[in-house]
Amino acid sequence: MSRYNRNSNYRRYRRHRTSRSMLTDVLLVVGLLAALGIFYFGLNVENLMLWIFSAALIVSIVVGLVAVVLWRRRHRLRRALKLSNIDQMHGIEFEHYLKDLLKSRGYQKVWVTQAQGDFGADLIAEQDGQKIAIQAKRSKGWIGVEAIYQVLGGREHYKTQDTMVITNATFSYPARALAKKSGTALIDRAQLAQWILDWQKED
């Protein structure tokens, strides 16, 4: 396992551990309050049912608040990323980052296709009823014509109207020529950097 994968797994482990710890603390506090309430008011069926209902309501509210806080924290962290962070991402992580980035640019629906057998499209984005097949290429070298052919295959499979290839690298001349001929939009490193800056400037 690479150092990046180990670090990525560790970050996910810490995130999940933090959320579990918060929920565990909440449940302990609710349990203590319920025990004190039963002790104070007396143990009978009516009081017990009331406390069970109250505890369940409090837990639901707190769990919802915790989920919102964790989502907002994750959203802020992803917005704060730089292009150098993108360069270190695993391919699947890059796809999920692009999902959030595309949503910030006004696409109403964006979803990541299955990791295996994606038929040439890593993401599908939809806006005003128009769908676009997107190939995500995180690379350290040039992006060639293969990426264009792949996303054109994705267009046929997913029945989309448009195609796009997004990369943190640079497209070769043949790739640009094929993209122009096929009507495929190309987002290279410079434009991706601008997209990230635009997202970070949002209120």
Side-chain angles (χ1 to χ4, degrees):
M1 182 181 294
S2 69
R3 182 177 65 181
Y4 170 75
N5 287 336
R6 288 197 300 269
N7 292 339
S8 179
N9 291 337
Y10 179 66
R11 287 195 297 269
R12 286 193 292 268
Y13 167 75
R14 287 191 62 186
R15 248 190 339 260
H16 296 160
R17 184 178 180 183
T18 299
S19 60
R20 287 198 301 267
S21 298
M22 294 175 68
L23 292 177
T24 300
D25 293 341
V26 169
L27 292 175
L28 285 175
V29 171
V30 171
L32 287 173
L33 290 175
L36 289 173
I38 292 172
F39 176 79
Y40 181 78
F41 290 106
L43 181 60
N44 57 60
V45 174
E46 183 178 351
N47 288 337
L48 182 60
M49 294 302 295
L50 178 62
W51 275 99
I52 290 176
F53 174 78
S54 300
L57 180 62
I58 293 172
V59 168
S60 299
I61 293 173
V62 173
V63 168
L65 290 174
V66 169
V68 170
V69 170
L70 291 176
W71 180 86
R72 287 177 64 87
R73 178 175 178 272
R74 170 181 173 272
H75 188 69
R76 286 196 301 269
L77 289 174
R78 291 177 79 80
R79 281 182 59 179
L81 291 178
K82 299 178 181 179
L83 197 55
S84 58
N85 301 124
I86 308 301
D87 294 337
Q88 302 302 317
M89 283 184 176
H90 187 271
I92 294 177
E93 189 175 2
F94 180 49
E95 294 168 10
H96 283 273
Y97 176 79
L98 290 181
K99 176 183 176 181
D100 292 341
L101 185 60
L102 287 164
K103 285 184 176 180
S104 76
R105 300 196 64 80
Y107 287 93
Q108 298 156 348
K109 297 180 182 179
V110 185
W111 62 93
V112 178
T113 62
Q114 59 186 9
Q116 299 294 329
D118 58 22
F119 297 96
D122 297 312
L123 302 101
I124 304 295
E126 184 174 344
Q127 186 177 40
D128 299 327
Q130 295 290 108
K131 292 197 299 183
I132 179 170
I134 301 170
Q135 176 70 212
K137 288 293 185 183
R138 195 206 62 77
S139 176
K140 295 181 180 179
W142 291 84
I143 304 300
V145 295
E146 295 82 4
I148 314 302
Y149 284 124
Q150 288 171 0
V151 79
L152 291 175
R155 180 180 66 183
E156 293 300 317
H157 178 77
Y158 293 102
K159 306 302 180 184
T160 68
Q161 290 75 37
D162 299 305
T163 50
M164 178 186 293
V165 181
I166 306 176
T167 183
N168 66 322
T170 305
F171 293 98
S172 67
Y173 176 79
R176 291 185 179 278
L178 181 58
K180 183 177 181 179
K181 183 177 181 180
S182 62
T184 299
L186 299 183
I187 307 300
D188 62 7
R189 185 177 183 85
Q191 192 162 354
L192 178 61
Q194 185 60 54
W195 280 16
I196 295 171
L197 288 176
D198 292 342
W199 191 17
Q200 291 171 350
K201 291 177 182 177
E202 292 180 5
D203 294 331

